[in-house]
């Protein structure tokens, strides 16, 4: 009788250990981690992010494995990828597919604001993690924020706050702003106007331009004939439209006529498109620059070996986001979303992308140092892709929208 | 006033590109009945051709202006001979699908090789700076592009109206069956005409390279506007298409000046108005009404 009781107790204890519900101190779902990269792989954002962002995420996985070795939370880490073609409906359904069929624990990247907001909604519904890297809208950490979405590299507030404020403070008080007539351009225009006016400047005229557009002569001539003449032409155009505008800005000789050029959003690939001379002296805000210091350069060299090109800030930020996600899982010891979110919120960190990095608990904005950059003249460019001179580091706490203004409530 | 005139000139410069592309489209449509959706892709290839010749062989803008259109015309001839020709006499839908497919293939091939970011192409040194036009100063290069376009359109017009070749092409464009009935071998002219149209698109591309973003999608954006142009001018009407090209350029520029938010749809508003008033376009053939 006694023997039976001991056996039964033992059996129950064993059953308790094995058969109980998974706890925070154990296991990963399916004993593996899956990182999904959802972005544009053949359209207009393919070069600045695209396949090379997938490569950057793979680098993060390798670095994570090398760092923890046998102590890593798991050896099974997969990277899966999908193309959202810059369409928000495609982005939404691809996100569902990644979470459900590919068992992705997190989705990374997602350029194009409407697509990003669609993915954020899926993440919220499925209670799965989403790190946005390449979309610019402040809505992700504003009214449309949710507990599972984090916003990484940059946003329109940060761009405007950097460039708009700095250029105005340097004495260019009178702005003429042209912006493409769609969500991103409109959002940028508002952010820039606010930043310029806060710094004591004035946006005299702001013109929406057709999108896409290959002839900006009308606006360039208008700038010359304005009274008073603007000190600076602020362009919110991106990609091919930006290249068109800058080519024509140079043809009309606006710089010689005393009208500076200031670009709302610029990627390293844009400067490469035109050659640095066309942009020489243009100021803009960069989230990261590959040749900023030895640490960045070391990363850029490794990246170049694999991709044959230098990383844009989007590539570096994808690397960083993947790494910080893996570190968070390592700390939590589980991939259960709520536990991972807990270890991410308020977490302060440094890596090759984020200096002074911190994940704000209140709105999930990832803050980090940003940089005010100027394009070097061709004579100062000594090697391919080394186009930027960093004028100033904008400290993390100053670069991004203050928590109080975000309007985010996780509900 | 000066401002207004400057804007008009802007419009004419834009119109130069529409005009050149519309000219090729109209000739091709007239003679082959092919709505060539690949025209934008040929324009893009023209710009890329100039870029590749410059970076791979050091061939400068001036030589490219001659070489690229010729190479593209040959390419266009092959496309007609080996692809388009098979669909002669079938439902025009097949041609639409074929040329649309050609566009996608060409775009993706270029994307694969050069990515989607724009490629740098310098302005030829002789055409940098601005030119004093009396009333205002204007970028030399854009004046040059405008002059080339007008000259070419005039030359083609003279060729079509004053030569025997022109007579045959015009006749075959406007009444292919009747021309054939008169003992002229219309088919013999099909390949050269197609090649010529493609060459013109290539030339427009080379002209665009120094002043516009050279990327695989540049033609896709362009072709939509050019189709509106051809419809406004009247399908099949060469004269109408070219004229509508300059007119649409003008309209867009003035639209951007006075109603920037609406500039983009003005072309299509004009198209709708013209179609309501004259269903076959401004200079289209009347029987298209039936």
């Amino acid at each position: 009788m006694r023997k039976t009781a001991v056996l039964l107790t033992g059996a129950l204890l064993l059953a308790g250990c094995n058969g109980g519900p998974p706890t925070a101190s154990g296991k990963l779902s399916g004993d593996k981690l899956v990182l999904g990269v959802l972005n544009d792989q053949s359209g207009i954002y393919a070069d600045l992010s695209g396949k090379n962002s997938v490569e950057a995420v793979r680098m993060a996985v390798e670095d994570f494995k090398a760092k923890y070795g046998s102590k890593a939370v798991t050896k099974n880490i997969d990277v899966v990828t999908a193309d959202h073609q810059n369409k928000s409906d495609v982005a939404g359904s691809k996100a569902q597919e990644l979470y459900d069929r590919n068992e992705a624990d997190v989705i990374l990247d997602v350029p194009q604001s409407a697509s990003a907001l669609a993915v954020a909604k899926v993440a919220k519904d499925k209670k799965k993690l989403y790190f946005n890297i390449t979309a610019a809208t402040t809505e992700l950490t504003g009214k449309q924020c949710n507990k599972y979405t984090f916003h990484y590299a940059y946003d329109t507030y940060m761009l405007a706050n950097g460039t708009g404020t700095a250029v105005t403070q340097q004495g260019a008080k009178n702005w003429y702003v042209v912006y493409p007539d769609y969500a991103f351009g409109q959002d940028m225009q508002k952010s820039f106007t606010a930043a310029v006016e806060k710094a004591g400047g004035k946006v005299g005229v702001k013109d929406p331009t057709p999108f896409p557009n290959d002839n900006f002569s009308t606006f360039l001539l208008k700038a010359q004939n304005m009274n008073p003449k603007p000190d600076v032409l602020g362009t919110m155009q991106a990609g091919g439209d930006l290249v068109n505008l800058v080519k024509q800005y140079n043809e009309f000789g606006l710089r010689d006529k005393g009208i500076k050029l200031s670009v709302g959003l610029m990627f390293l690939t844009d400067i490469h498109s035109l050659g640095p001379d066309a942009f020489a002296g243009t100021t803009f805000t960069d989230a990261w620059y590959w040749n900023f210091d030895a640490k960045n350069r070391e990363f850029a060299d490794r990246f170049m070996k694999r991709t044959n090109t230098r990383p844009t800030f989007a590539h570096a930020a994808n690397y960083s986001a993947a790494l910080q996600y893996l570190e968070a899982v390592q700390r939590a010891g589980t991939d259960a979303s709520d536990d991972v979110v807990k270890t991410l919120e308020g977490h302060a960190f440094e890596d090759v992308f984020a200096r002074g990095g911190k994940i704000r608990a209140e709105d999930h904005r990832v803050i980090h140092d940003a940089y005010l950059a100027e394009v070097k003249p061709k004579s100062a460019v000594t090697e391919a892709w080394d186009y930027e001179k960093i004028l100033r580091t904008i400290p993390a706490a100053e670069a991004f929208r203050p928590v109080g203004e975000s309007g985010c409530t996780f509900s | 006033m000066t401002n207004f005139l400057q804007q008009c000139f802007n419009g004419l410069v834009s119109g130069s590109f529409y005009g050149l592309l519309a000219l090729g489209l109209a000739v091709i449509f007239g003679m082959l009945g092919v709505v060539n959706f690949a025209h934008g892709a040929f324009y893009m290839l023209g710009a890329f051709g100039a870029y590749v010749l410059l970076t791979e062989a050091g061939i400068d803008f001036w030589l490219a202006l001659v070489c690229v259109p010729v190479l593209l015309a040959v390419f266009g001839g092959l496309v007609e001979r080996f692809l388009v020709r098979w669909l002669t006499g079938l439902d025009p839908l097949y041609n639409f699908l074929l040329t649309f497919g050609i566009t996608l293939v060409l775009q993706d091939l270029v994307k694969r090789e050069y990515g989607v970011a724009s490629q740098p192409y310098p302005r030829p040194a002789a055409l940098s700076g601005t030119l004093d036009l009396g009333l205002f100063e204007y970028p030399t290069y854009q004046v040059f592009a405008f002059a080339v376009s007008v000259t070419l359109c005039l030359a083609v017009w003279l060729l079509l109206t004053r030569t025997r070749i022109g007579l045959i092409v015009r006749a075959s464009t406007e009444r292919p069956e009747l021309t054939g009935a008169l003992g002229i071998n219309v088919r013999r002219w099909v390949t050269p005409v197609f090649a010529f149209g493609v060459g013109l698109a290539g030339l427009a591309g080379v002209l665009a390279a120094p002043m516009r973003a050279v990327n695989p999608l540049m033609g896709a954006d362009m072709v939509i506007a050019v189709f509106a142009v051809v419809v406004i001018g009247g399908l099949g009407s060469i004269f109408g298409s070219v004229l509508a090209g300059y007119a649409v350029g003008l309209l867009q520029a003035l639209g951007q000046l006075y109603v920037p938010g609406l500039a983009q749809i003005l072309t299509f508003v004009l198209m709708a108005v013209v179609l309501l008033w004259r269903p076959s376009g401004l200079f289209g053939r009347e029987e298209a009404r039936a």
Side-chain angles (χ1 to χ4, degrees):
Chain A
M1 190 64 193
R2 221 176 151 160
K3 261 186 182 173
T4 324
V6 172
L7 274 174
L8 269 174
T9 320
L12 278 171
L13 276 172
L14 275 173
C17 285
N18 282 333
T23 56
S25 61
K27 298 285 155 183
L28 300 176
S29 57
D31 194 31
K32 67 173 177 182
L33 282 175
V34 181
L35 282 66
V37 185
L38 178 59
N39 62 18
D40 170 17
Q41 307 197 342
S42 57
I44 55 171
Y45 306 118
D47 285 358
L48 63 89
S49 180
K51 291 205 168 67
N52 286 344
S53 281
V54 181
E55 201 55 36
V57 170
R58 290 205 178 100
M59 284 170 72
V61 171
E62 287 166 24
D63 289 355
F64 173 80
K65 282 182 180 167
K67 180 179 170 190
Y68 287 99
S70 59
K71 290 194 186 106
V73 65
T74 178
K75 281 196 179 95
N76 306 320
I77 307 174
D78 289 346
V79 177
V80 293
T81 166
D83 185 354
H84 72 6
Q85 300 161 25
N86 298 321
K87 292 178 187 140
S88 56
D89 53 332
V90 178
S93 61
K94 287 281 175 191
Q96 295 205 359
E97 226 175 284
L98 283 171
Y99 285 137
D100 292 343
R101 195 180 310 159
N102 301 67
E103 297 173 347
D105 295 290
V106 63
I107 289 180
L108 300 157
D109 207 12
V110 198
Q112 212 262 336
S113 292
S115 300
L117 290 169
V119 174
K121 192 172 176 307
V122 178
K124 183 185 175 189
D125 293 346
K126 299 209 176 289
K127 297 189 188 327
K128 293 274 197 170
L129 265 76
Y130 166 40
F131 280 86
N132 179 271
I133 316 290
T134 351
T137 179
T138 48
E139 284 287 296
L140 285 168
T141 54
K143 288 202 182 67
Q144 301 195 46
C145 71
N146 73 68
K147 202 183 152 198
Y148 301 94
T149 296
F150 295 81
H151 197 180
Y152 223 81
Y154 75 121
D155 59 35
T156 54
Y157 182 97
M158 168 264 211
L159 296 171
N161 186 41
T163 313
T165 309
V167 174
T168 308
Q169 281 169 355
Q170 281 164 16
K173 300 278 183 213
N174 195 5
W175 285 64
Y176 173 38
V177 169
V178 290
Y179 60 98
D181 207 0
Y182 68 104
F184 164 77
Q186 291 152 359
D187 198 12
M188 285 286 282
Q189 182 269 115
K190 279 185 209 136
S191 300
F192 260 78
T193 305
V196 167
E197 281 167 1
K198 205 169 146 191
K202 184 168 172 278
V203 178
V205 183
K206 39 203 171 199
D207 274 332
T209 70
F211 171 79
N213 188 20
D214 52 19
N215 191 350
F216 289 95
S217 319
T218 305
F219 307 102
L220 298 169
L221 278 174
K222 195 171 167 184
Q224 294 178 36
N225 297 333
M226 267 177 195
N227 193 15
K229 194 173 70 178
D231 303 315
V232 54
L233 171 70
T235 162
M236 306 300 132
Q237 266 70 24
D241 277 14
L242 176 64
V243 173
N244 276 320
L245 187 137
V246 175
K247 273 191 176 183
Q248 291 154 21
Y249 166 87
N250 285 309
E251 276 165 28
F252 279 92
L254 258 62
R255 189 178 286 124
D256 303 333
K257 296 192 174 97
I259 301 172
K260 285 211 267 185
L261 180 68
S262 186
V263 178
L265 169 61
M266 187 145 74
F267 288 87
L268 188 65
T269 39
D270 293 322
I271 311 175
H272 190 66
S273 287
L274 276 179
D277 249 6
F279 281 110
T282 303
T283 41
F284 66 103
T285 307
D286 206 346
W288 182 84
Y289 182 54
W290 71 270
N291 206 12
F292 176 67
D293 61 12
K295 193 172 165 186
N296 291 11
R297 199 182 169 92
E298 188 266 341
F299 172 77
D301 287 345
R302 278 202 295 147
F303 186 84
M304 184 133 189
K305 264 190 202 128
R306 301 166 74 123
T307 62
N308 231 349
T309 175
R310 292 294 187 187
T312 63
F313 78 69
H315 298 133
N318 267 292
Y319 169 87
S320 167
L323 199 63
Q324 292 310 325
Y325 171 76
L326 293 171
E327 291 278 4
V329 176
Q330 181 76 22
R331 283 197 302 277
T334 172
D335 60 358
S337 300
D338 290 306
D339 296 323
V340 178
V341 168
K342 253 180 231 150
T343 66
L344 282 166
E345 285 182 339
H347 181 62
F349 63 100
E350 291 274 326
D351 65 19
V352 69
F353 171 78
R355 309 294 159 80
K358 190 185 169 193
I359 303 171
R360 285 202 306 225
E362 298 86 347
D363 60 354
H364 288 186
R365 177 67 248 176
V366 180
I367 61 166
H368 54 84
D369 291 354
Y371 307 91
L372 188 69
E374 185 182 277
V375 181
K376 291 181 185 177
K378 201 175 177 184
S379 52
V381 175
T382 47
E383 67 176 304
W385 298 98
D386 188 19
Y387 304 136
E388 297 178 25
K389 186 173 132 195
I390 302 300
L391 300 176
R392 183 172 104 86
T393 298
I394 308 165
E398 196 185 299
F400 290 91
R401 179 170 68 182
V403 168
E405 291 175 26
S406 75
C408 164
T409 46
F410 296 125
S411 50
Chain B
M1 190 60 198
T2 312
N3 196 10
F4 177 78
L5 287 177
Q6 272 180 318
Q7 295 302 342
C8 290
F9 198 71
N10 280 338
L12 292 177
V13 172
S14 278
S16 303
F17 291 90
Y18 295 143
L20 277 178
L21 289 171
L23 178 58
L25 266 188
V27 177
I28 290 174
F29 177 78
M31 196 159 212
L32 285 75
V34 170
V35 179
N36 181 21
F37 267 85
H39 218 62
F42 293 135
Y43 163 76
M44 177 271 289
L45 281 187
F48 262 92
Y51 166 74
V52 172
L53 286 184
L54 182 74
T55 47
E56 304 294 325
I59 291 173
D60 73 352
F61 174 78
W62 300 104
L63 204 53
L65 204 54
V66 180
C67 294
V68 173
V70 171
L71 287 172
L72 267 174
V74 172
F75 178 64
L78 294 172
V79 168
E80 196 285 324
R81 193 73 189 74
F82 294 103
L83 295 169
V84 176
R85 180 159 295 194
W86 291 101
L87 303 176
T88 313
L90 294 180
D91 192 314
L93 192 62
Y94 289 96
N95 270 313
F96 164 70
L97 290 174
L98 172 72
T99 51
F100 191 63
I102 292 175
T103 302
L104 294 180
V105 170
L106 291 177
Q107 268 178 14
D108 276 10
L109 285 176
V110 175
K111 250 187 225 172
R112 200 189 143 89
E113 198 56 36
Y114 298 100
V116 291
S118 308
Q119 303 299 329
Y121 193 87
R123 247 174 319 171
L127 297 175
S128 56
T130 54
L131 208 64
D132 194 353
L133 295 181
L135 283 170
F136 51 85
E137 285 197 354
Y138 209 80
T140 314
Y141 185 81
Q142 308 214 359
V143 177
F144 167 78
F146 175 66
V148 170
S149 160
V150 171
T151 312
L152 265 172
C153 289
L154 278 177
V156 173
W157 183 68
L158 285 176
L159 183 82
L160 288 173
T161 52
R162 299 290 153 87
T163 65
R164 196 180 136 70
I165 295 178
L167 190 69
I168 296 170
V169 170
R170 262 188 310 143
S172 320
T173 305
E174 305 205 344
R175 300 270 196 287
E177 292 85 10
L178 195 62
T179 313
L182 288 172
I184 289 165
N185 187 354
V186 175
R187 282 235 54 89
R188 213 181 69 195
W189 292 94
V190 164
T191 309
V193 164
F194 194 90
F196 178 74
V198 173
L200 274 184
L203 191 124
V206 181
L207 272 184
M211 60 184 274
R212 291 187 176 172
V214 180
N215 62 45
L217 299 171
M218 64 189 288
D221 300 337
M222 192 78 176
V223 81
I224 299 167
V226 177
F227 267 99
V229 164
V230 175
V231 172
I232 291 168
L235 275 171
S237 165
I238 294 162
F239 177 71
S241 300
V242 174
L243 208 67
Y246 288 98
V248 164
L250 210 60
L251 180 77
Q252 284 184 348
L254 294 177
Q256 289 188 351
L257 180 64
Y258 297 112
V259 278
L262 297 176
Q264 207 164 11
I265 60 163
L266 278 182
T267 312
F268 300 97
V269 171
L270 176 67
M271 184 172 92
V273 170
V274 166
L275 288 182
L276 284 172
W277 173 46
R278 289 178 67 93
S280 48
L282 286 178
F283 297 89
R285 272 170 279 158
E286 281 300 302
E287 69 259 47
R289 262 174 209 270

